[in-house]
Amino acid sequence: VAMIAVAKSGERKSSIYKEFMKPLLDYMRKAEPAYKIELKTANAKEAANKMARNSLAMQYHKASAKDKDGFFADLREVGNEPNPISPRLIINDATVEAIADHLANSRPSIIYMSDEGGKLFANYSMKQENKTNSMAYFNGLLDGEYTSVYRKSSDDLIVQDHSMSMLVFIQPEILKQIVDSSGANFGQGFFQRF
């Protein structure tokens, strides 16, 4: 679901936005302490697993050829510790890459919400040199598409089985400026999803 609420300044966008957010924020506030404990525990287990994998790898390299067969079974037993699901449902300001990372690694469903739509359309992802790629990326995330990102400078990222919604409040003048300045990007389908 993607919605843009268009209203002039003074027409109580922020009041409506706060009412809409209240139950979500209440849930997040209540769930955050338990999540932090779960995350700390998962990180500790993953650190122990990494040490065990490193130890097995060193033993493997020292072992004779006939002794190496058992190492693969041992390595499989030392799996990766999954992250607990974050209670952070709402994103207010983030690059599209950070949103994808959150969907892939922290929570499979989120809502991007802003009571000032200019924040979304003026952030780094929407600068002129990034706009075409970012809009295409947002389209895929909004549609729930499988997305894979490979960068030389960071870990691979696979976003799948996720859902993303958007609720953006914006003034008509700001929306007009954004649409007018989008040029060829307007036909990409990003605005048509709202």
Side-chain angles (χ1 to χ4, degrees):
V1 175
M3 297 185 296
I4 290 182
V6 182
K8 291 181 180 178
S9 182
E11 291 188 347
R12 305 190 41 83
K13 292 185 304 295
S14 294
S15 298
I16 295 168
Y17 177 79
K18 285 176 186 170
E19 286 299 314
F20 191 86
M21 281 188 60
K22 187 177 180 338
L24 299 172
L25 288 174
D26 288 346
Y27 161 77
M28 291 180 356
R29 281 187 196 109
K30 286 178 187 168
E32 187 71 20
Y35 167 71
K36 285 182 178 178
I37 293 168
E38 288 177 38
L39 185 60
K40 196 177 210 177
T41 302
N43 288 341
K45 286 180 182 177
E46 182 53 33
N49 287 347
K50 185 176 182 180
M51 287 179 18
R53 286 190 297 272
N54 289 342
S55 175
L56 285 169
M58 287 173 48
Q59 291 173 31
Y60 175 81
H61 290 298
K62 293 178 184 176
S64 65
K66 73 175 190 166
D67 293 332
K68 288 186 176 185
D69 291 339
F71 282 99
F72 292 111
D74 291 343
L75 273 174
R76 278 193 292 275
E77 285 182 27
V78 182
N80 290 324
E81 190 65 30
N83 283 335
I85 294 175
S86 168
R88 298 173 192 150
L89 295 164
I90 300 170
I91 293 179
N92 301 109
D93 185 12
T95 63
V96 69
E97 292 85 1
I99 293 170
D101 183 71
H102 189 69
L103 285 166
N105 296 311
S106 299
R107 177 166 199 91
S109 59
I110 56 134
I111 181 167
Y112 184 103
M113 293 176 64
S114 177
D115 62 342
E116 292 296 335
K119 268 198 252 181
L120 167 65
F121 296 107
N123 80 18
Y124 173 80
S125 294
M126 293 300 195
K127 289 189 188 281
Q128 198 57 44
E129 63 271 17
N130 303 326
K131 193 180 287 190
T132 301
N133 183 53
S134 293
M135 285 184 168
Y137 211 147
F138 269 124
N139 288 348
L141 294 176
L142 285 166
D143 292 347
E145 290 178 2
Y146 172 93
T147 303
S148 58
V149 180
Y150 301 97
R151 300 282 187 268
K152 200 171 187 176
S153 60
S154 62
D155 291 339
D156 300 342
L157 184 66
I158 307 293
V159 184
Q160 59 186 351
D161 303 324
H162 71 279
S163 72
M164 177 179 164
S165 297
M166 292 182 94
L167 174 59
V168 179
F169 290 76
I170 195 164
Q171 296 173 4
E173 302 81 23
I174 305 286
L175 181 60
K176 182 176 179 354
Q177 280 180 333
I178 292 163
V179 171
D180 289 349
S181 69
S182 66
N185 290 316
F186 189 77
Q188 243 186 323
F190 176 74
F191 292 106
Q192 290 78 357
R193 282 173 170 74
F194 289 90

